[in-house]
Amino acid sequence: MTIPEYPHSETLELLVEQLETSKEGLNNSAVQKNLSIYGFNEIQEKKHNLFTLFVTQFKSPLVYILIVAALLSFFLENIHEGLLILLIILINSFIGFWQEVKALSSIKSLKKLTESKTQVKRENQIFAISSFHLVPGDVIILSEGDIVPADIRLFDTNGLVIDESILTGESVPVQKDSNLILPKETLPYELDNMALSGTTVTKGNAEGFVVFTAQKTYLASIAGKAEEKSPDTPLTKALEVFIKKHMLILLVMITLTAVLAFGQGRDIIEIIYLIIAELVSAVPEGLPIVVTLVLTIGAMTLSLKKVYIRHLPSVETLGSTTVIASDKTGTITQGKLKVEEVFSLNETFSQTVSALANESIEGKGDPLDTALALWLGKEYQSIREKYPRVNLYPFDTKYRLMASSNMIQKEHKIFVKGAFESLKQFATNQDDFEILEKEHDRLASNGLRVIALGTGEHTTDDIEKWQIEIVGLVGFLDPPKEGVLEAVQTAQRAGVKVMMITGDNPLTAAAVAKSVNIYKEGDLVVSGKELNDMDDETLEKILSKVTVWARVLPEHKYRIVKILQKQGEIVAVTGDGANDVPALKAADLGIGMGSGTDAAKSTAKMVLADNNLSVIVDAIKQGRTIASNIRKAIYFLVSTSLDEVILITGAIMMALPLPLYPVQILWINLVADSALDKTFPFMKDEEDVMNRAPTKLHEQFLDKTQLIRVLYAALVISMGALFIYIWMLDNYGKECAISTLFTAFVIATWMNGLQSLKENEPFLKNIKKSLHINPYIFYGISIGLVLQLFAIYLLSDVFHTLPLNAESLTVIGLMTLWVFGMIEIRKWVEYLWKK
């Protein structure tokens, strides 16, 4: 047996010879032989080691820092905090592990698409067998409702119509014709003499030879790409960049401090405690908790809008998105054909043909039939009742038409609808051809799907002998969903490019894209065929000008995503079919549709219950708010850990005693930092986040501006604290100085927290907004104040504190004004400079 590489281009006679089969089917010995050669008909899954998958969840700089923080906590005998940090690490790792395991189920979902009972003819007898046991050369019998179990070359078709949307994305079912011989280079969505694995028979029946099974099917090639590892989220990448920069700066400072302390002749034990104190200060151990909280609250908010997050870091990926590559059908458009325009030579006859040459029942049936029925409204049923049907002629793939014969009074008439070029062959009104062709081309150039309507006397059942008169043309459109135009404009204002990827033809795709502002004058529309002939270098050159991709294949969609990512774009891709799995997996953010296949939903990181582009754009806005809140949390946590390091380093450089005890540093991190940072997830928008372009990945959390602000805040707090410490040491002694500094530092941190609420505007400009942007922060400060008073007056032995006297309160008040005032001055300078 030889399986031809291009069975669609072979004659049936040659194919029978190559496959060593016949239309009566294989015999048992041939089945066993082919089974031993080609194996069972199933998509193979790549084996994954679950233990290895779990271990890889710990490969993160943030996790390494948390482990260091846990070890330090155990060293300082702070067992509860150490256990809490380890618990956080384990929870995060289990979440990541669970997401990866769930993603693997996409392959299982693809396998299910071809697992079914199948009618097969062997030795001229028909059997119902599991699709698992099919082999090349088998004769398959397909009927309405069947899922095609393998790639099949058809040899007999009877009105066969197949829904291939699961592979091609094309919303309209495809008519098949076994008599066709196609060129070798024919693309999968043009294989009109084949039935592809995973597709569904919607009408008619057929027989065909199995040519490709298991890994050789077109569906399996899609599954192969689904094995690829998803890229790290922008949040993960940005946090890793931030952590590396942060820890490099801190390690330099801690090393410098240790060298200075050693040079000053301090005891080794004191130096060790000094390093521990700085490490405890430096590690932003609250950061993973805050980031997780921000993402969780964001995911909960999105779920209220029917956007369900399957992979938590993807919440922030929304905010980083620079390109949305969206499907047309069901996301941009309603997924239902609508009669957009009708040209009639005879309006009455046009309506009559539309009602009678129609199989729609109660709004169900072929999309074209249903659209015509809705267009006619109440007239649809009254026309059908008025003129009873005599014969129905189902869609004929050769003549590309369907018809009905009905009694009009006492006359037997034929009513036909189909392709204009097909009906012209039977038309007698040739004088009307010029105007009909002109109108046909006009409707088609507007992106409408056009059919012709005709009527004549019924004299025979032989289609070739029919004589009709073309009475009109109907143009159909899948109309845009409400709110999509506004959503596209919002995305474009926010610097997010929207592309449309569809299986429809270029004219239709361009017309729809133009109606929602995706396609503009000067933009490019690229078809799958053009993309096939294009190398990556050429594709990269034109990519920025392309807004519409038409008649594309799954491998094309996947390739588009990869090239966009190569150019530094953060890509969100929508998908609902098995054909979308590779692109969903490769994208930075795969968005599955709630009405889509299990394969698409299990691969996606986000699932929409409402399949609408406007929901995605609204989710991007929420994602940007989340990213902004994470950025503010990082500013607050890093500046309030760096200030402690600078304070300790400054004291050592000036040969002063350690200004804070390690237990006090831990308390500051708990009361000053944690009481406030847990409120950051509830922060409201400071401004319209959709009025700016997406932030570059490496600038997301620690760009030059953020770094300068962090250093400025850390220096303001630490220099103020150092001045207080020196003055109190000279006037009130070490214990009083440390005790006063301890509380002053806590309140200074709170002032920095209040200033963190607004990044681009001074606190005192629009105070009402400043107070309402995050009211929960004031609850955090209140709780922190009560806890601080407990530490001073009830746990003084533990925290080395003395009661606060008038001088201490004055110094603390001055420190509060200093920190708040200096940061406010910096903000006013920045604000006025920008203006």
Side-chain angles (χ1 to χ4, degrees), residues 173 203 358-371:
K203 197 182 292 184
N358 197 314
E359 294 183 72
S360 177
I361 300 172
E362 296 181 354
K364 295 178 182 177
D366 182 87
L368 288 173
D369 288 352
T370 304

Side-chain angles (χ1 to χ4, degrees), residues 161 170-175 328 336-342 366-369 371-372 395 400 417-420 439-452 473-478 504-505 507-509 511-512 551:
V161 180
E170 169 62 72
S171 56
V172 180
V174 181
Q175 286 83 33
K328 176 183 76 69
K336 296 176 182 177
L337 289 176
K338 172 189 172 188
V339 174
E340 183 71 8
E341 193 173 342
V342 178
D366 182 87
L368 288 173
D369 288 352
L372 286 169
F395 188 88
R400 296 169 66 206
K417 79 170 190 295
F420 175 58
E439 286 299 318
H440 176 276
D441 292 347
R442 182 183 65 81
L443 293 172
S445 65
N446 288 334
L448 302 181
R449 184 177 180 191
V450 186
I451 64 164
L473 302 168
V474 183
F476 298 85
L477 184 70
D478 183 1
D504 280 339
N505 68 69
L507 280 174
T508 304
V512 172
R551 300 297 280 162

Side-chain angles (χ1 to χ4, degrees), residues 419-690:
F420 175 58
E421 291 300 320
S422 298
L423 264 63
K424 275 170 64 179
Q425 299 173 43
F426 313 104
T428 57
N429 56 330
Q430 294 184 11
D431 293 345
D432 297 321
F433 278 12
E434 187 178 344
I435 189 170
L436 285 168
E437 285 173 353
K438 183 180 176 183
E439 286 299 318
H440 176 276
D441 292 347
R442 182 183 65 81
L443 293 172
S445 65
N446 288 334
L448 302 181
R449 184 177 180 191
V450 186
I451 64 164
L453 307 172
T455 182
E457 297 293 330
H458 183 273
T459 57
T460 176
D461 289 331
D462 187 350
I463 295 175
E464 288 188 6
K465 295 179 181 178
W466 285 353
Q467 288 188 327
I468 63 168
E469 184 178 323
I470 296 177
V471 295
L473 302 168
V474 183
F476 298 85
L477 184 70
D478 183 1
K481 284 188 170 182
E482 189 178 338
V484 167
L485 173 60
E486 294 78 7
V488 170
Q489 291 170 335
T490 301
Q492 290 168 343
R493 175 165 53 87
V496 179
K497 182 176 181 178
V498 183
M499 289 179 167
M500 190 170 83
I501 300 180
T502 177
D504 280 339
N505 68 69
L507 280 174
T508 304
V512 172
K514 190 175 182 180
S515 71
V516 293
N517 212 42
I518 291 175
Y519 174 82
K520 303 186 188 74
E521 204 65 43
D523 289 348
L524 296 179
V525 178
V526 176
S527 70
K529 276 187 176 177
E530 292 169 330
L531 188 57
N532 235 28
D533 298 333
M534 207 179 286
D535 58 31
D536 284 356
E537 190 178 342
T538 308
L539 180 56
E540 285 187 56
K541 285 178 183 175
I542 67 159
L543 198 55
S544 61
K545 296 177 183 177
V546 182
T547 51
V548 178
W549 305 89
R551 300 297 280 162
V552 296
L553 294 166
E555 49 265 40
H556 294 152
K557 195 170 183 178
Y558 171 85
R559 185 181 170 203
I560 291 163
V561 170
K562 298 299 278 186
I563 295 291
L564 283 167
Q565 289 173 328
K566 188 179 176 182
Q567 293 187 340
E569 305 288 358
I570 307 296
V571 187
V573 168
T574 68
D576 56 3
N579 62 311
D580 295 313
V581 168
L584 288 170
K585 195 78 180 284
D588 298 283
L589 181 64
I591 304 172
M593 301 300 154
S595 58
T597 62
D598 288 342
K601 286 188 280 190
S602 62
T603 304
K605 292 176 180 172
M606 186 175 101
V607 176
L608 302 185
D610 181 3
N611 302 359
N612 196 318
L613 185 69
S614 61
V615 175
I616 298 171
V617 174
D618 194 37
I620 284 175
K621 182 180 179 182
Q622 183 69 32
R624 287 194 175 188
T625 300
I626 289 161
S628 176
N629 289 349
I630 292 174
R631 180 180 169 90
K632 289 176 181 179
I634 285 175
Y635 161 82
F636 173 65
L637 289 169
V638 174
S639 58
T640 52
S641 64
L642 195 59
D643 56 13
E644 294 167 359
V645 176
I646 295 172
L647 171 65
I648 294 167
T649 304
I652 297 303
M653 289 176 72
M654 298 173 73
L656 299 172
L658 199 63
L660 291 169
Y661 291 101
V663 69
Q664 290 177 331
I665 293 170
L666 283 170
W667 182 255
I668 290 168
N669 291 350
L670 175 65
V671 172
D673 295 0
S674 297
L676 268 59
D677 62 25
K678 305 303 181 292
T679 70
F680 277 64
F682 304 98
M683 198 114 54
K684 296 172 187 172
D685 287 338
E686 181 182 342
E687 57 195 359
D688 185 356
V689 292
M690 300 302 274

Side-chain angles (χ1 to χ4, degrees), residues 8-28:
H8 55 271
S9 66
E10 304 285 358
T11 63
L12 288 170
E13 292 76 14
L14 184 58
L15 191 67
V16 166
E17 188 181 321
Q18 290 173 321
L19 293 174
E20 296 176 13
T21 186
S22 70
K23 291 184 179 180
E24 283 72 43
L26 298 171
N27 57 42
N28 285 331

Side-chain angles (χ1 to χ4, degrees), residues 813-830:
L814 289 170
M815 178 70 170
T816 303
L817 291 172
W818 162 259
V819 172
F820 187 89
M822 289 302 291
I823 295 175
E824 185 74 2
I825 289 168
R826 188 267 297 165
K827 284 189 170 186
W828 275 106
V829 170
E830 273 188 26

